[in-house]
Amino acid sequence: MASYPVFLLRRFGQFLLVVFIGISATFFVTHLTPIDPVEESIGSIQQMGQSDPRAVELMRQSLRALYGLEGSIWQQYLHFWGRLATGDLGPSLSAFPTPVSTIILRSLPWTIGLMTVSTLITFILGNIVGALAGYYRKNMALKAVSLIFIAMQPIPYYIFAFVLIILFGYVWPILPINGGYEMNTNLNLSLALILDILKHSILPALSLILVGTGSWLIGMRALVSNIITEDYVVFAELGGVQKRRILRSYIARNAMVPQFTGLAMSLGAIFNGTVITEIVFGYPGIGNLLISAVHAGDYSLVLGLSALSIVGVAAAVFIIDVLSPLIDPRIKVE
Amino acid sequence: MQHWKKLAFGVALATLGLMAAAKADDYTSLPRKETLIVENPEGTIKNPGWFNIWVNGGGGVSTGLQQLTMDTLWYIDPEQGLGGSTWDNSLAADKPQYNADFTEMTVKLRKGLYWSDGVEFTADDVVYTVKTQMDHPGMVWSAAFSVQVASVEATDPYTVVFKLKKPNSRFHALFTVRWNGAWIMPKHIFEKVADPVRYDFANPISLGAYKLKAYDPQGKWYTWEKRDDWQRTSLARFGEPAPKYVTYVDPGPPDKRTIAQIEHNLDIIHDNTPEGMFTLKEKSKTVDSWFPGFPFAHPDPTLPAVIFNTQDPTFQNPDVRWALALLIDIKAVDMASYRGAATLSALGVPPTAIAMKDYQAPLQDWLKTFEIDTGKRKIKPYDPTVGQQIADILRKQPKFKDQIPTDPAAINTAFGYGWWKPDPQAAAELLEKAGFKKTGGKWMTPDGQPFKIRMSVEGDTRSVFTRAGTLIAQQWAAFGIDSKAVPSTSLWQTSLQPGDFQVAIAWSVETWGGDPDLSFFLDSWHSEFVAKKGENQPPRNWQRWSNPELDKIIESIRKVSADDPKGIELGNDYLKLVAREMPTIPLMSYNVFTSMDTTYWKGYPTIADPYTDPVPNWANSRLMMVKLKPAQP
């Protein structure tokens, strides 16, 4: 463990490099799209009846300066990093001059709420069913449940989203199919609001849970299948230790170590949002925000959302890497 | 009572209290009979707390902000208007007064108008609006003022004098609402702000008859409340607005808004699909529409057309453009796009009521005798009976037969007059005249290349015109031209402005609607504004077409005032020119399927009482507030 500080430093350097490369790539990709935020803004202004060609050209120049889009792409790139270094994501270009951070913070809680809950439910459900199915391999009920989740796992989650909308929005219309809350709800914190938000999150969460559970289940079942052949499990069984205790204390606890690594990565990826789910259900999260930003050519907002996602995933992986040698004695830092 | 029962009772009471509190402020808690609920077609607003309409800051405009709280000097209604005129002196007391060479405009303002915070509206507000925007590039009207205004001053509290950099007989258009206009800023608020560009104008004060009551922080709805002192606003000249509250909502996807209206929870749907409108008419006994029967919809003063990129060598020859026009079967296009619910136009002007009177009807005789030379013969391409034919087709459908007018005048109003006859033989002759050849069933360009056309359409975002474009491309393909429709994301920004298209379904003609002056779009068609190939085209000449004869017409219009009858004569010259040259193939008006539920309110604008455009995101829709009456005691 003497080399751990060196490992930590090296790993932190890698983390910074990944973030730098990821954000740089996003910067250039967004700036190379054919959609120009200045033209988008001019389009909006033209809708207000302005068509004087001389004025439009002057407006184009003004907006380019106002949005910080003057100069070469390299100058803009350096300017962008200079601003980001101070924690400033800049103003949104489609909602100028509102800061990108303000707009993201308005949508982020919705995504974090939806994704955290659905990820945790998926994780818990998948691991419990996976552990049971791996241990009680002859149990027909567990086999059937596993088969259902595994069969659903390769199906794209938006297919489930549409199926759920048809079932619970039209055939048996008991759940809302659009938005994060009822349109006429007061957003002051109250029990009614919380219940309403929960009600609106059921179908989007369900579409993620139905598909996501299978992958945790497969992983856990495979881990358990390997562990049950280990000597200490065989000895425990021969020694007459209760099956429930063997599963809980001998098998599941060991199998959970890599699963928690996966959970940490999934939680880090929460900042990616779930674009299609949010669009299908009209959910007011960052996935929806990202799409509207792309359509509006809002570089700043796309970059802000991408930076959040890149830092989230990279940080999750970094934390797992640096904690693993401390938690798991089988991992050595060389 | 046992402790646990007390506790349970307390929790239940608190829960009920919380739920009641949660309902206290939202718009559904308002008395329904006093509340008008309107669809905001902008959907959910990205930056809901942004009310600074003078900066394009992602806040809503059609949330009621421009319709109910803003005001400016003049309005031209797209329909007949109130008070016997489409022209309305709103904040101004009179029409604009120009000097002889149109370099100076004087405005007399109304007295006794007040902002909602009790401060009087004066000439200082107008001067401040102009100067502030000129001083802050990037504000919505800053560029427009900067290129035109040399100076502006208030000569007394109710008089403003503009000196212009160049003669301009239409300078007042900036302050004249059609859909929108240069709204007047409250000087006493903005002058205290450090930077008007970065000020959100939260808690906006109003110059209109309503003021903000509440809005959803997630941008789904906005509620406005009638001002106690509504008599001190410009709208008061027409009477007291009836709805105490007006809410603009994002009601969700089309099916949801249709259901909401069937259940009487949404008074005005801004726009629907043709199919959605047919469903509403079938399912609801309380729904009004502009036309009581087919085509139901309101014709916007906008003219969707097949737009050629005339900087593409293939489309520089009018014979080619005419050939392509003669290959279109407009009846099939109408049925495919609007399911027959369209108002056709063969001329380069949208078939709104005033344009029917001043342009479409007077030019019918000219159209009937109009000839084109195919190179082998002269043909008369106009068929004056197309509107009648479409009415006859629709009448054969049992579902609609009783809703189709029979009176020829009503048919013309609803479906348009005539259109060009499909004539493949003449089209072939015109293409051959232009040097094209047909080889092996396929048309080749004069330089021996396959004649390929890619028709840019907007896809799902404007499905009616995507269907039209797709069918037109198929009709050309059936004739032997390698033609197909291609969806283009952000058609205007990625294709029309940069000129990165061959042919597109879009519009480059928009008129005032209720006024025959064509300068609203025509001035920007002058050749001085045509961009070089590869450069961005300023609006609205997306076809990048120039013609010396057109320039002369535009220059003549510039020299006469907006209400000079000479303008209509010049407008007719323009229409004849574009019929001969065909830089765009006009198709039909942009029909907006607005539906209005009469359960709680009556007195909506319709063709029978066309006092304004029914489409509720237009600022003119403020006129509805004074014409609506409660439908229930």
Side-chain angles (χ1 to χ4, degrees):
Chain A
M1 199 50 83
S3 59
Y4 186 77
V6 176
F7 163 74
L8 189 63
L9 274 176
R10 199 179 65 217
R11 190 61 193 78
F12 186 66
Q14 284 174 349
F15 164 72
L16 291 179
L17 190 66
V18 166
V19 169
F20 175 75
I21 292 172
I23 292 177
S24 297
T26 313
F27 176 91
F28 287 108
V29 167
T30 52
H31 281 68
L32 291 173
T33 61
I35 301 173
D36 184 335
V38 170
E39 298 306 327
E40 287 288 323
S41 263
I42 287 175
S44 300
I45 292 168
Q46 279 167 17
Q47 285 175 9
M48 296 183 187
Q50 293 192 36
S51 65
D52 183 332
R54 293 157 298 189
V56 169
E57 188 48 42
L58 184 61
M59 178 65 79
R60 185 173 281 129
Q61 292 165 16
S62 301
L63 291 179
R64 209 157 279 285
L66 202 61
Y67 292 177
L69 299 176
E70 284 179 315
S72 69
I73 193 165
W74 292 105
Q75 287 168 320
Q76 290 179 44
Y77 178 65
L78 290 175
H79 178 65
F80 164 71
W81 274 111
R83 215 173 44 197
L84 200 63
T86 62
D88 179 11
L89 290 169
S92 159
L93 303 183
S94 59
F96 186 88
T98 307
V100 161
S101 51
T102 305
I103 293 177
I104 291 178
L105 283 175
R106 199 180 291 137
S107 299
L108 195 57
W110 294 95
T111 298
I112 289 179
L114 176 67
M115 291 288 286
T116 307
V117 171
S118 55
T119 302
L120 290 177
I121 290 175
T122 307
F123 175 78
I124 293 165
L125 192 63
N127 281 309
I128 289 174
V129 178
L132 290 171
Y135 190 57
Y136 301 106
R137 279 175 292 179
K138 291 180 180 167
N139 185 302
M140 292 306 288
L142 285 168
K143 268 188 180 175
V145 171
S146 303
L147 193 65
I148 291 168
F149 277 119
I150 292 167
M152 287 194 290
Q153 193 253 336
I155 299 172
Y157 58 86
Y158 52 84
I159 300 290
F160 275 98
F162 286 119
V163 170
L164 291 172
I165 284 175
I166 290 166
L167 283 179
F168 297 104
Y170 294 98
V171 178
W172 191 30
I174 55 165
L175 288 170
I177 57 170
N178 191 267
Y181 54 93
E182 204 52 46
M183 187 169 60
N184 53 10
T185 304
N186 186 328
L187 284 186
N188 292 336
L189 187 62
S190 66
L191 183 64
L193 177 66
I194 292 166
L195 292 175
D196 190 43
I197 289 173
L198 285 175
K199 199 173 163 189
H200 277 76
S201 67
I202 290 174
L203 290 185
L206 204 55
S207 72
L208 297 170
I209 290 166
L210 286 174
V211 177
T213 302
S215 59
W216 291 112
L217 189 155
I218 292 169
M220 189 62 175
R221 197 179 62 173
L223 287 164
V224 169
S225 299
N226 284 334
I227 291 170
I228 55 175
T229 61
E230 294 282 340
D231 289 348
Y232 61 90
V233 176
V234 176
F235 284 137
E237 283 181 336
L238 291 173
V241 179
Q242 275 188 330
K243 275 187 173 282
R244 231 184 254 177
R245 190 172 167 207
I246 292 172
L247 177 59
R248 195 176 60 236
S249 305
Y250 290 63
I251 298 173
R253 189 169 288 181
N254 282 306
M256 284 308 288
V257 174
Q259 294 293 79
F260 273 118
T261 305
L263 176 65
M265 289 180 67
S266 296
L267 290 175
I270 276 174
F271 298 106
N272 293 350
T274 50
V275 174
I276 297 177
T277 300
E278 290 185 13
I279 289 170
V280 170
F281 290 101
Y283 206 73
I286 57 173
N288 246 329
L289 189 62
L290 178 65
I291 290 299
S292 72
V294 168
H295 282 309
D298 190 339
Y299 306 150
S300 303
L301 193 49
V302 173
L303 276 167
L305 290 164
S306 304
L308 193 69
S309 168
I310 291 164
V311 171
V313 175
V317 175
F318 171 69
I319 291 166
I320 293 162
D321 277 2
V322 298
L323 290 182
S324 294
L326 303 176
I327 296 167
D328 191 343
R330 290 171 298 181
I331 300 173
K332 290 195 172 12
V333 176
E334 293 291 339
Chain B
M1 198 187 284
Q2 289 172 332
H3 285 303
W4 70 270
K5 282 186 178 173
K6 282 182 185 172
L7 185 66
F9 181 71
V11 169
L13 206 63
T15 306
L16 285 171
L18 281 169
M19 291 176 85
K23 281 278 173 191
D25 290 339
D26 73 74
Y27 74 88
T28 54
S29 65
L30 301 172
R32 184 67 179 87
K33 292 177 188 174
E34 295 180 326
T35 309
L36 179 73
I37 304 175
V38 185
E39 181 199 349
N40 172 16
E42 293 171 308
T44 301
I45 303 303
K46 185 192 289 179
N47 197 9
W50 186 269
F51 293 94
N52 184 348
I53 201 168
W54 300 276
V55 174
N56 185 27
V61 171
S62 305
T63 55
L65 183 66
Q66 72 164 0
Q67 302 98 313
L68 302 180
T69 70
M70 295 292 153
D71 208 341
T72 188
L73 305 178
W74 303 283
Y75 282 64
I76 291 180
D77 199 273
E79 282 298 330
Q80 289 186 6
L82 274 179
S85 170
T86 59
W87 177 276
D88 179 34
N89 299 314
S90 191
L91 294 178
D94 202 352
K95 285 195 161 191
Q97 296 158 22
Y98 285 95
N99 63 354
D101 65 355
F102 298 107
T103 55
E104 190 176 304
M105 182 180 85
T106 301
V107 187
K108 291 285 183 189
L109 299 177
R110 287 186 189 281
K111 296 174 184 172
L113 302 181
Y114 286 80
W115 295 93
S116 57
D117 60 357
V119 174
E120 189 182 9
F121 159 75
T122 68
D124 285 346
D125 291 313
V126 179
V127 173
Y128 179 82
T129 299
V130 177
K131 285 187 173 172
T132 301
Q133 298 205 52
M134 287 171 73
D135 291 344
H136 292 87
M139 292 186 84
V140 171
W141 288 274
S142 67
F145 290 142
S146 296
V147 298
Q148 297 201 51
V149 178
S151 69
V152 55
E153 62 173 327
T155 53
D156 66 56
Y158 304 103
T159 307
V160 184
V161 178
F162 292 88
K163 289 197 165 51
L164 307 181
K165 288 178 177 172
K166 283 168 64 176
N168 184 359
S169 59
R170 305 294 195 283
F171 173 67
H172 63 275
L174 273 179
F175 294 99
T176 308
V177 168
R178 169 185 175 265
W179 185 83
N180 191 309
W183 305 114
I184 304 304
M185 301 172 77
K187 175 176 180 277
H188 63 287
I189 300 290
F190 273 82
E191 68 185 355
K192 294 176 191 148
V193 171
D195 183 357
V197 177
R198 284 173 170 74
Y199 177 51
D200 58 10
F201 197 36
N203 306 312
I205 65 155
S206 167
L207 196 50
Y210 289 80
K211 61 183 180 182
L212 182 66
K213 177 172 174 59
Y215 70 96
D216 174 17
Q218 293 290 323
K220 291 271 185 190
W221 56 265
Y222 290 76
T223 294
W224 310 85
E225 183 177 14
K226 184 163 58 176
R227 281 170 55 175
D228 292 335
D229 64 339
W230 59 267
Q231 297 96 331
R232 302 202 299 183
T233 67
S234 70
L235 192 63
R237 289 168 291 127
F238 301 115
E240 180 176 359
K244 184 170 183 190
Y245 306 102
V246 185
T247 293
Y248 291 79
V249 299
D250 169 15
D255 56 344
K256 214 170 172 184
R257 67 182 92 133
T258 301
I259 291 166
Q261 187 157 75
I262 288 172
E263 293 174 348
H264 315 300
N265 294 324
L266 180 60
D267 295 318
I268 306 177
I269 292 180
H270 166 265
D271 195 9
N272 214 327
T273 58
E275 297 80 3
M277 176 58 101
F278 304 158
T279 303
L280 270 171
K281 281 290 194 181
E282 197 179 334
K283 305 266 181 199
S284 174
K285 290 187 172 18
T286 54
V287 164
D288 261 1
S289 51
W290 181 256
F291 288 105
F294 247 76
F296 305 113
H298 179 264
D300 233 28
T302 301
L303 184 68
V306 175
I307 292 184
F308 297 105
N309 183 348
T310 60
Q311 286 180 338
D312 182 326
T314 312
F315 305 107
Q316 282 171 354
N317 186 338
D319 289 333
V320 176
R321 303 193 293 256
W322 251 110
L324 292 168
L326 293 177
L327 292 171
I328 294 174
D329 177 355
I330 195 67
K331 284 182 286 184
V333 174
D334 182 6
M335 297 308 291
S337 58
Y338 274 117
R339 311 300 185 210
T343 315
L344 302 180
S345 178
L347 292 166
V349 65
T352 53
I354 194 89
M356 285 290 197
K357 180 175 83 65
D358 287 318
Y359 297 116
Q360 299 270 3
L363 280 178
Q364 286 304 304
D365 287 341
W366 179 84
L367 280 167
K368 287 172 195 166
T369 56
F370 169 65
E371 288 183 337
I372 53 173
D373 184 352
T374 69
K376 292 186 176 169
R377 61 202 165 103
K378 287 189 173 174
I379 61 162
K380 289 189 171 68
Y382 188 64
D383 179 355
T385 66
V386 176
Q388 181 73 54
Q389 291 174 43
I390 288 172
D392 292 341
I393 293 170
L394 291 166
R395 205 174 288 111
K396 285 177 189 156
Q397 298 183 20
K399 195 172 164 183
F400 300 128
K401 66 176 183 181
D402 297 332
Q403 301 185 45
I404 310 302
T406 49
D407 172 40
I411 288 173
N412 290 338
T413 306
F415 298 105
Y417 285 91
W419 213 78
W420 313 112
K421 282 179 273 202
D423 192 341
Q425 178 59 37
E429 289 166 11
L430 282 163
L431 285 179
E432 283 162 2
K433 184 182 166 193
F436 288 64
K437 280 184 186 155
K438 197 169 190 184
T439 310
K442 300 286 176 194
W443 282 94
M444 312 296 276
T445 59
D447 56 1
Q449 299 300 311
F451 186 10
K452 275 189 175 183
I453 299 179
R454 295 294 171 262
M455 166 86 79
S456 298
V457 293
E458 287 188 84
D460 291 342
T461 50
R462 228 179 290 270
S463 57
V464 168
F465 293 115
T466 296
R467 297 196 296 238
T470 305
L471 189 65
I472 289 170
Q474 284 172 4
Q475 290 174 351
W476 291 344
F479 181 69
I481 298 167
D482 178 2
S483 157
K484 63 180 175 186
V486 287
S488 174
T489 308
S490 294
L491 178 72
W492 304 86
Q493 284 76 28
T494 61
S495 302
L496 297 179
Q497 269 174 224
D500 187 14
F501 73 105
Q502 277 194 300
V503 181
I505 294 275
W507 55 91
S508 56
V509 173
E510 290 184 49
T511 66
W512 286 103
D515 190 286
D517 176 28
L518 297 184
S519 66
F520 189 86
F521 77 96
L522 196 51
D523 196 67
S524 60
W525 279 33
H526 195 282
S527 63
E528 67 181 307
F529 303 130
V530 174
K532 288 181 188 151
K533 200 171 179 179
E535 292 181 1
N536 273 316
Q537 172 66 34
R540 298 191 160 81
N541 187 356
W542 308 121
Q543 58 277 0
R544 297 172 176 237
W545 179 65
S546 59
N547 181 292
E549 201 177 327
L550 177 69
D551 285 350
K552 277 186 194 164
I553 293 170
I554 293 170
E555 285 156 18
S556 301
I557 290 179
R558 285 175 182 171
K559 287 175 191 154
V560 299
S561 68
D563 50 5
D564 190 322
K566 176 83 177 154
I568 297 175
E569 286 175 35
L570 291 163
N572 278 307
D573 291 345
Y574 147 78
L575 288 170
K576 290 174 185 172
L577 174 65
V578 290
R580 286 197 301 272
E581 292 284 329
M582 199 61 79
T584 72
I585 307 174
L587 297 174
M588 53 193 67
S589 65
Y590 193 136
N591 271 0
V592 183
F593 291 87
T594 300
S595 55
M596 303 156 281
D597 188 54
T598 57
T599 304
Y600 292 100
W601 300 99
K602 59 185 181 182
Y604 296 104
T606 62
I607 188 71
D609 184 14
Y611 63 86
T612 192
D613 178 345
V615 184
N617 65 343
W618 289 58
N620 294 281
S621 62
R622 67 177 187 161
L623 293 183
M624 272 193 226
M625 304 308 146
V626 294
K627 284 284 281 184
L628 289 177
K629 299 281 176 255
Q632 296 183 9

